[in-house]
Amino acid sequence: MEVSSRRLKRRSTNEQLGAITISAGFAERRPAERPISLMDRADTALYESKRSGRNRVSKAEWKATAA
């Protein structure tokens, strides 16, 4: 069963509450990466998913830093 095909209903009143959707972003930790940088990249990926539409998952880019 797909979650996106489900409709939410309030049990007490049978009121329709709408559909379930999800947007997610994730990042793979780079060697020696600080936690705040990891979270920033995952957050950027989350907002990329939100901009792309419903029911999306985006992976953070792994950009090499200049040496």
Side-chain angles (χ1 to χ4, degrees):
M1 168 179 44
E2 288 189 33
V3 173
S4 63
S5 66
R6 303 281 299 196
R7 301 284 180 220
L8 294 178
K9 250 191 245 185
R10 186 179 314 272
R11 286 185 184 183
S12 61
T13 63
N14 230 16
E15 172 190 4
Q16 292 287 333
L17 300 175
I20 297 171
T21 64
I22 187 168
S23 296
F26 70 97
E28 182 179 355
R29 186 175 177 270
R30 298 182 288 199
E33 182 174 23
R34 294 178 55 167
I36 190 69
S37 175
L38 176 66
M39 294 300 293
D40 284 344
R41 290 188 313 110
D43 191 55
T44 298
L46 167 62
Y47 283 97
E48 176 61 32
S49 289
K50 289 180 177 230
R51 282 190 295 275
S52 298
R54 290 181 167 83
N55 299 321
R56 305 280 180 188
V57 177
S58 298
K59 181 179 179 183
E61 293 291 323
W62 185 314
K63 296 180 183 175
T65 58

